[in-house]
Every structure is written in C-alpha cells, then in structure tokens.
Amino acid sequence: MSTLNPARVAREFPSRYRLEAARCEKCGAVAFPARLVCPSCHGRKFAKVALVPEGKVLTWTVIHVGPSSHKYEVPYVLAVVELAGGVRLTCQVADVDPAKVEAGMKVRLEFRRIQEDGEAGVIAYGHKGVPA
Ligand SMILES: [Zn+2]
C-alpha cells in the first residue's frame, strides 16, 4: 500500500523542504508547518520565517520493525527535535548509533532522501537530524 500521498507532498513543498515556518502577525507564535489559523490566538495573518536547522533531541524512540519503505534502515532513531526558537518537529536521526542518542543531544538538520514509494513512484525528501 502506498504510504505517500503525491498531492500532499506537492502541497507541502516547498515550505517543508525549506524549513519555512509561519509567524503569526498578531501574537508572534511560530507554526511549522505553516497553518491557516494560529493555534494560539486564531489569527489568520502570517509572515514567513526561515527556521535555523539546528536543535536538540527532546525525546526519541528506536524503530526496530519499520514500514517497508524503511526496511533497509532498521534499527533507526525517530526523535522529537526542538529547534532554536522552540519549534518542534519529528524526524529521523541518522549517522548515529541508536544506543548513543540522549536527551539534549545537539543535531543539525540535513536535507536527505527520506523514503521511496515504489507504487506511486514518489521519492520523498526531507530533513534528518545528524549529530552536530
Ligand atoms: Zn497568533
């Protein structure tokens, strides 16, 4: 079964790829990915802001049995990373021994191939954290 929705990939490109967030012009809250309505104040006007691709691991898990699109990568680390400014995102942490990941570990986000979907023919790119 296809795990990627090509329409969604196209819609979220390019803001996800460029780490482009939206800052609410009313209250200053930063949302990533961008939203139509501010989750804090329900404002609807936003300014684009570029996120700094550096942060730290807040929490993580090690995936030993992954989806078929990631079967050659197991075990791999999936983490919640907090970027400077407080934006949090979930991403894979690569180039690291899963046993060595720890809370507060500094990571840098790099643009990499995330998965390939044979049925839909979509290759998804995105960010992975790597030890900084
Ligand atoms: Zn707001």
Side-chain angles (χ1 to χ4, degrees):
M1 185 179 160
S2 176
T3 54
L4 286 175
N5 175 335
R8 184 173 167 206
V9 170
R11 187 173 62 244
E12 293 187 351
F13 182 97
S15 63
R16 262 189 196 276
Y17 290 13
R18 288 197 302 235
L19 287 180
E20 216 168 65
R23 176 181 288 124
C24 175
E25 292 188 352
K26 194 169 159 193
C27 78
V30 176
F32 179 78
R35 298 179 179 213
L36 293 176
V37 178
C38 174
S40 297
C41 74
H42 303 130
R44 289 173 182 269
K45 287 193 171 178
F46 295 90
K48 285 181 184 172
V49 290
L51 298 173
V52 175
E54 293 169 358
K56 63 183 178 187
V57 171
L58 289 185
T59 187
W60 73 99
T61 189
V62 180
I63 308 294
H64 292 277
V65 181
S68 60
S69 56
H70 290 68
K71 65 186 171 190
Y72 301 110
E73 299 177 44
V74 293
Y76 63 89
V77 176
L78 196 61
V80 175
V81 170
E82 185 175 85
L83 302 181
V87 167
R88 294 176 179 181
L89 52 87
T90 303
C91 67
Q92 195 174 331
V93 177
D95 301 348
V96 68
D97 177 348
K100 300 220 166 118
V101 175
E102 53 188 25
M105 187 178 100
K106 305 264 189 219
V107 293
R108 180 182 69 252
L109 297 185
E110 289 191 350
F111 195 69
R112 296 192 177 182
R113 179 198 298 230
I114 299 293
Q115 71 180 74
E116 197 164 343
D117 189 317
E119 285 180 39
V122 175
I123 298 174
Y125 291 87
H127 290 88
K128 288 185 181 179
V130 296

